[in-house]
Amino acid sequence: VLNPDACAPESAIQLLAKTLDESPKAGAVGGYVNGGYLPRPVATPWSLIRENLGARPATVDARVVGQAAAAALLVRRKAFDAISGFDERFVPAWYEDVDFCKRLGDAGWDVLFERNAEFPHEGGYAMKALGPGRFAAAYYRNQLRYIAKHYGRAPLLPVRLSIAAGMAARALKSPSKAGDYAQAAWGALARW
């Protein structure tokens, strides 16, 4: 799996393949695409609330991780088939890979990160393609879909409130984008 704004050097692909071959429990291995896409623990309602309120996301400095970015992810076919691939209800603008990695882990597969497999990656492709308002809507709808799917309805209200609070804080910092942030806050509270 490779983002459209990432390059795939043959040496990086070979390193991911070697890592996967040497790790029979691994369902997928991600490469380094840039500092904004570092591997993380599996997302939980609490971790997402913290991120929505402006905390830096926790990252993992390990070989076995909770989730690796699908911007450059090599997946074992047997693992892909075992969990029926990606859930197509997610708009490909984040959380489709979070959901995928969570389901791999739940099915007993490891998700690995190979720091030395470097994939030059511009980043921000989905935001540029969709525009800030549509991207925010897709991003936060996906976040809510992920929470409901894996953690049930109970944490949805606090996550929704954290989205709205985070959007209000962003609107204060960037008044020129306040309209987009207001739409995302309204969507989180009332539409999605």
Side-chain angles (χ1 to χ4, degrees):
V1 180
L2 188 69
N3 272 21
D5 58 345
C7 296
E10 188 174 336
S11 60
I13 295 170
Q14 289 173 346
L15 184 52
L16 291 186
K18 181 178 185 275
T19 302
L20 207 57
D21 287 343
E22 293 173 350
S23 309
K25 278 192 63 187
V29 57
Y32 178 82
V33 291
N34 72 35
Y37 296 82
L38 294 173
R40 300 178 180 187
V42 171
T44 66
W46 176 243
S47 70
L48 295 178
I49 288 168
R50 288 178 32 83
E51 286 179 36
N52 291 342
L53 295 175
R56 292 183 65 87
T59 58
V60 178
D61 185 19
R63 187 170 179 85
V64 179
V65 299
Q67 63 189 63
L73 187 71
L74 186 64
V75 181
R76 187 182 305 279
R77 181 59 181 222
K78 184 177 177 182
F80 185 89
D81 290 344
I83 65 167
S84 300
F86 284 89
D87 182 339
E88 294 183 12
R89 291 174 294 176
F90 288 89
V91 174
W94 291 69
Y95 291 99
E96 74 282 4
D97 53 352
V98 178
D99 169 72
F100 183 78
C101 289
K102 171 125 176 58
R103 289 186 297 118
L104 281 175
D106 290 349
W109 294 97
D110 287 339
V111 176
L112 306 181
F113 177 67
E114 179 53 65
R115 172 60 182 88
N116 294 321
E118 295 189 14
F119 293 80
H121 177 238
E122 183 180 324
Y125 179 84
M127 177 153 347
K128 289 175 190 166
L130 296 172
R134 288 180 53 213
F135 175 81
Y139 180 93
Y140 289 110
R141 270 196 312 260
N142 280 352
Q143 186 181 98
L144 294 169
R145 178 174 284 122
Y146 170 82
I147 292 297
K149 180 177 179 178
H150 293 287
Y151 297 98
R153 298 192 59 76
L156 282 175
L157 180 59
V159 172
R160 287 178 188 278
L161 293 173
S162 73
I163 293 168
M167 293 297 101
R170 288 181 179 169
L172 290 173
K173 287 182 183 176
S174 301
S176 66
K177 298 178 183 174
D180 290 331
Y181 295 140
Q183 284 183 348
W186 176 248
L189 292 174
R191 290 193 346 216
W192 308 324

